[in-house]
Amino acid sequence: MLLLPVLSLSPFPSLIPDHSLRFQSHRNRHASRRAVRCAAASSGVDGDSFTAKSGYLFELSATEADSLAEYRISKIAAIYSRKPLLVARRLVQTGVAFGKWFGLRYLDSLMDRSESMFQVRAAALRKILVELGPAYIKIAQAISSRADLIPPSYLDELSVLQDRISPFSTEVAFNMIEQELGVSLVEVFSEISPEPVAAASLGQVYQARLRKTGQVVAVKVQRPGVQAAISLDILILRFMSGLIRRAGKLNTDLQAVVDEWASSLFREMDYNNEASNGVRFRNLYGSIPDVVVPLMYLEYTTRKILVMEWIEGEKLSEVKDLYLIEVGVYCSFNQLLECGFYHADPHPGNLLRTYDGRLAYIDFGMTGEFKQELRDGFIEACLHLVNRDFDALAKDFVTLGLLPPTADKEAVTKALTGVFQNAVAKGVRNISFGDLLGNLGTTMYKFKFRIPSYFSLVIRSLAVLEGIAISFNPEYKVLGSTYPWIARKVLTDSSPQLKSSLETLLYKDGVFRIDRLESLLTESLRAKTEKAIVKQQNEGTDSRMVMKEILSFTLTEKGEFVREIVVQEFAKGLDALGLATLETAAARVPFSALFYSSSMTEEDIINLETFQRLVFLLLGTRRKEDSNTGSKQVSPYKNQRLGMEELSLVLNQVESIQDILPVLSIIPELPPESQQQLLQLPASLVRQLISRAAARTIRRLFL
């Protein structure tokens, strides 16, 4: 066995070079390895209370263990059907633990003290789950975001479930490293910490230095027998969930939920899979400014051993760094809505702040895939929520798989309106993600919604970031930071589904809703691109900068769809402006009413007002308040004919078009491609104006 140097272990040890480090002879190592095997059983009971409580003091044969490489409930059942005493022992242990808890809850109900004893019983349940072992810890962590499975009152207690577990024997761990790699430790590492620096339900981590390169690495070692233990617990959980579903007459298929999470858990126990996930995550997001993804050493990785680059830092939840929260929000946006490959276990322990001020992601055992149609559906749901379109939001829930197509959408719409109306009343920047989840959770439990696994993980990844942020800034809103990216994606994405959604959002009954375009453009300008992430965001941006950003955006290839809409509405406005000007001139001619009748329609009035607001939007200035002119807003649905006084006020507003001259100074600063697009706009406008004039003439002649 190797002689280990004494290393600093708190909280993230730095290896101390020890040139006197020596290893025992080959013969002594083999003798020590035999001793380790003998010690495994005894140290499990006396030195590792977690192992003893979990009850996995056994091992499967090599053939049986290999058959559990992937989750197959039929194979698990076949293995344990030949081990009835082992199953019975675990059933008794599990049954006693939960039976006692349910018995106490029943007594609480009889004594009418359920509410007052809630916190005590919830804490007791969390303790039971930790003591019963890794399967129960992982399932409980997953259920903590499943509002369709448990009452919302239990979510808070389970959401803080931590899997801080006693470590198993270091001798057993070192023995496993040598067995898995097929070589002695001295051949791979020049130094290694004498004790684990972190321990969890599935494994524990040592700090080491690679002999070949001198790189400091983290060595993750799986707990012995953990897969066998989890397999047995999953088998029992499926049995119990079937009984609970029948007894409680629940709509959710609990056994399917157990299967779903068991599959994810089995993938997490394969460290080859985790290494592949880490490589992919690094390739996709490692280039984002101030994001760190550790390098995976695949040549030293097996199903039970993982070697990765050592990341030095502190938990993000323990430092006050709001900037890194913003970086995390941006990275989450890329994971969820751009690439669709995301970190599915974003608890605070997996997010670190490095000592040079960067955000590090670690532990890639659980990742998820977010399909394109679901990404688009999620974006649409966010848009409909912000714009208070709760009827469309109910339909989004069907698209996202939260509701069956046969659901009573009218009742759901009414419920969602009650849940979200107040939450969004103060604007998107003030929407609390945590409040939304709490309110929505109650509704989901009431209507027995089904929450797909991807959805709970997606929501959890954002909720964790907000939870960390509000611990030192109670006013922080993660949705307010995410929505600018959503707005930009809606405005620039080439997806036919999102284009259709944008068009539906901007037009109602053929009427263009300029306020929604204003909102989307304004929010999208708050989103910083990868190269433009800055630590301080200036609130008071001058109008010239806003004008430049809007032009830069609308004149790009990605802004083509929005540019076409703006040009179309601009043409309508110019056409309406021409008619309004003609009417104003005609009104000044004596007796004009005898030979000239108004041709202005409600549509023209709306187009004129839209034109006015488009001008202010493109100029980067706020719309003039009605109080400044002493006027009331012109209603497009009042009179067919525009009153002279009202028309004069509108035209006075539009006269500020002369302010567009500053645009000329910005044009040279635009990229050549954008300048080319700008030069093509007049021709496009002229074509649309001619088309509208021709259509108007035909209507007057033949209709």
Side-chain angles (χ1 to χ4, degrees):
M1 204 55 193
L2 60 105
L3 299 175
L4 298 166
V6 177
L7 302 176
S8 169
L9 294 178
S10 177
F12 297 95
S14 298
L15 286 174
I16 303 174
D18 188 346
H19 300 292
S20 65
L21 183 62
R22 295 292 183 269
F23 292 84
Q24 291 184 345
S25 67
H26 183 72
R27 181 175 59 186
N28 289 343
R29 266 199 318 273
H30 281 282
S32 179
R33 183 174 297 157
R34 288 194 296 272
V36 169
R37 286 202 186 97
C38 295
S42 61
S43 68
V45 177
D46 300 329
D48 182 6
S49 59
F50 177 75
T51 299
K53 195 68 178 180
S54 298
Y56 54 79
L57 302 178
F58 57 87
E59 295 233 1
L60 300 180
S61 68
T63 302
E64 290 173 331
D66 289 342
S67 68
L68 296 179
E70 294 181 358
Y71 178 68
R72 294 287 186 273
I73 192 61
S74 58
K75 292 183 179 179
I76 295 174
I79 290 173
Y80 288 107
S81 65
R82 300 190 293 270
K83 303 176 185 293
L85 293 179
L86 190 60
V87 175
R89 185 186 69 174
R90 188 60 169 163
L91 266 173
V92 170
Q93 185 184 27
T94 305
V96 169
F98 282 114
K100 180 181 178 180
W101 186 84
F102 279 110
L104 291 172
R105 286 295 291 162
Y106 180 67
L107 287 177
D108 290 340
S109 64
L110 291 179
M111 299 174 67
D112 196 25
R113 62 179 190 183
S114 296
E115 292 299 324
S116 61
M117 292 297 292
F118 154 70
Q119 290 185 342
V120 174
R121 301 304 178 216
L125 175 61
R126 176 167 52 85
K127 183 178 179 181
I128 289 171
L129 293 170
V130 171
E131 290 179 343
L132 283 175
Y136 289 92
I137 290 173
K138 291 296 183 181
I139 294 295
Q141 285 177 335
I143 290 177
S144 67
S145 59
R146 298 294 297 253
D148 59 333
L149 299 183
I150 56 177
S153 55
Y154 283 83
L155 295 180
D156 291 339
E157 191 66 38
L158 291 182
S159 65
V160 298
L161 192 65
Q162 300 289 327
D163 75 3
R164 296 174 181 172
I165 310 302
S166 303
F168 62 91
S169 167
T170 289
E171 289 183 328
V172 173
F174 288 169
N175 184 65
M176 182 180 292
I177 294 174
E178 291 187 334
Q179 287 180 334
E180 286 291 308
L181 298 182
V183 295
S184 64
L185 285 174
V186 67
E187 295 180 54
V188 182
F189 307 112
S190 59
E191 301 172 68
I192 190 167
S193 59
E195 298 294 338
V197 297
S201 56
L202 300 185
Q204 59 196 39
V205 178
Y206 294 85
Q207 190 186 48
R209 188 185 300 277
L210 291 176
R211 178 169 293 280
K212 187 176 180 179
T213 64
Q215 176 68 46
V216 179
V217 295
V219 183
K220 191 173 180 180
V221 186
Q222 191 171 105
R223 285 182 178 271
V226 69
Q227 196 153 28
I230 286 179
S231 299
L232 175 56
D233 284 337
I234 291 297
L235 188 66
I236 294 173
L237 277 169
R238 286 190 92 258
F239 175 74
M240 292 174 60
S241 63
L243 294 180
I244 293 172
R245 185 189 181 191
R246 287 191 291 272
K249 298 180 180 180
L250 303 177
N251 291 339
T252 300
D253 185 349
L254 295 183
Q255 287 188 322
V257 171
V258 172
D259 287 336
E260 178 182 296
W261 286 103
S263 298
S264 176
L265 190 54
F266 267 64
R267 289 193 296 272
E268 186 177 1
M269 286 188 287
D270 184 351
Y271 289 169
N272 282 317
N273 179 65
E274 179 174 351
S276 298
N277 291 338
V279 170
R280 184 179 177 189
F281 197 91
R282 180 183 173 93
N283 290 337
L284 289 174
Y285 314 116
S287 61
I288 294 177
D290 292 325
V291 169
V292 178
V293 183
L295 178 66
M296 301 290 163
Y297 292 88
L298 302 181
E299 64 270 31
Y300 302 121
T301 297
T302 69
R303 289 188 65 249
K304 297 181 180 180
I305 305 296
L306 173 63
V307 178
M308 59 191 288
E309 178 185 359
W310 179 265
I311 300 294
E312 195 84 18
E314 305 168 273
K315 288 184 180 180
L316 184 61
S317 57
E318 297 176 354
V319 294
K320 295 184 177 182
D321 196 331
L322 192 57
Y323 166 62
L324 286 190
I325 296 293
E326 295 290 347
V327 173
V329 167
Y330 175 71
C331 189
S332 294
F333 167 81
N334 277 271
Q335 294 174 48
L336 299 174
L337 303 180
E338 285 290 345
C339 302
F341 179 71
Y342 62 95
H343 196 297
D345 191 21
H347 65 73
N350 287 338
L351 299 172
L352 302 180
R353 181 191 184 276
T354 64
Y355 293 130
D356 61 354
R358 295 184 294 168
L359 176 65
Y361 285 81
I362 60 174
D363 194 349
F364 304 97
M366 293 182 66
T367 57
E369 294 278 355
F370 206 13
K371 296 180 180 178
Q372 183 65 53
E373 60 269 24
L374 296 177
R375 281 183 261 164
D376 292 347
F378 186 79
I379 291 173
E380 289 178 314
C382 290
L383 283 176
H384 294 146
L385 170 65
V386 171
N387 289 283
R388 308 181 199 182
D389 192 345
F390 300 116
D391 183 58
L393 187 61
K395 296 177 182 177
D396 294 332
F397 276 27
V398 175
T399 301
L400 292 169
L402 278 74
L403 282 173
T406 56
D408 185 352
K409 296 183 185 62
E410 185 175 344
V412 174
T413 299
K414 184 177 180 181
L416 293 178
T417 302
V419 169
F420 293 138
Q421 186 69 47
N422 293 332
V424 300
K426 296 180 181 179
V428 64
R429 301 187 193 185
N430 296 305
I431 297 177
S432 168
F433 211 75
D435 290 345
L436 285 183
L437 291 183
N439 296 334
L440 185 58
T442 304
T443 302
M444 287 183 167
Y445 183 70
K446 176 182 177 181
F447 282 87
K448 306 296 182 184
F449 286 10
R450 178 186 180 276
I451 305 179
S453 62
Y454 80 86
F455 188 80
S456 58
L457 290 175
V458 166
I459 295 300
R460 185 182 174 198
S461 68
L462 295 175
V464 165
L465 285 171
E466 181 169 85
I468 294 173
I470 62 177
S471 65
F472 52 87
N473 181 7
E475 301 302 318
Y476 184 82
K477 303 294 185 292
V478 73
L479 188 58
S481 294
T482 307
Y483 188 69
W485 296 106
I486 293 175
R488 173 161 291 196
K489 185 169 180 63
V490 171
L491 292 171
T492 60
D493 202 275
S494 59
S495 163
Q497 181 177 341
L498 287 185
K499 283 186 176 181
S500 175
S501 179
L502 176 60
E503 193 166 13
T504 302
L505 186 73
L506 296 180
Y507 289 92
K508 183 176 182 180
D509 300 326
V511 177
F512 181 63
R513 294 188 277 192
I514 178 64
D515 56 320
R516 294 196 168 181
L517 179 62
E518 286 176 334
S519 175
L520 285 171
L521 281 173
T522 301
E523 287 298 323
S524 71
L525 293 180
R526 291 201 298 125
K528 303 299 179 184
T529 62
E530 289 186 23
K531 295 181 180 179
I533 290 182
V534 292
K535 295 189 177 183
Q536 298 294 333
Q537 295 187 5
N538 297 323
E539 294 292 337
T541 305
D542 60 39
S543 59
R544 188 176 185 278
M545 182 61 67
V546 173
M547 191 190 313
K548 182 178 178 180
E549 289 188 3
I550 290 178
L551 286 176
S552 298
F553 161 70
T554 54
L555 294 174
T556 61
E557 182 179 351
K558 287 187 175 182
E560 180 181 4
F561 187 67
V562 174
R563 183 169 67 250
E564 290 175 354
I565 291 176
V566 170
V567 170
Q568 175 180 294
E569 295 304 320
F570 218 85
K572 291 179 182 178
L574 286 174
D575 181 49
L577 179 61
L579 289 174
T581 303
L582 181 62
E583 286 212 354
T584 302
R588 293 171 181 170
V589 178
F591 309 107
S592 61
L594 299 177
F595 57 86
Y596 180 82
S597 61
S598 174
S599 59
M600 291 285 290
T601 64
E602 289 183 4
E603 180 185 354
D604 293 323
I605 297 171
I606 295 171
N607 291 339
L608 186 57
E609 292 178 330
T610 299
F611 174 73
Q612 169 198 350
R613 294 179 65 173
L614 274 175
V615 169
F616 288 127
L617 177 63
L618 295 176
L619 290 174
T621 58
R622 291 186 176 183
R623 184 186 179 192
K624 289 186 180 179
E625 300 294 335
D626 295 334
S627 59
N628 291 342
T629 61
S631 68
K632 294 183 180 181
Q633 192 172 1
V634 180
S635 171
Y637 300 106
K638 283 186 178 180
N639 299 321
Q640 174 87 7
R641 181 166 179 167
L642 185 67
M644 291 304 302
E645 183 179 352
E646 292 174 328
L647 176 59
S648 176
L649 289 170
V650 171
L651 290 178
N652 286 337
Q653 290 278 321
V654 176
E655 284 176 3
S656 63
I657 195 171
Q658 63 186 352
D659 295 335
I660 204 169
L661 292 178
V663 173
L664 299 178
S665 65
I666 294 175
I667 293 177
E669 301 175 12
L670 298 175
E673 298 80 7
S674 297
Q675 294 182 30
Q676 288 293 328
Q677 289 290 347
L678 188 61
L679 293 175
Q680 295 174 14
L681 292 184
S684 180
L685 269 175
V686 169
R687 285 194 298 270
Q688 296 218 28
L689 283 171
I690 292 174
S691 175
R692 289 188 63 80
R696 185 187 299 277
T697 302
I698 292 173
R699 284 199 304 270
R700 292 191 121 189
L701 290 176
F702 300 102
L703 297 180

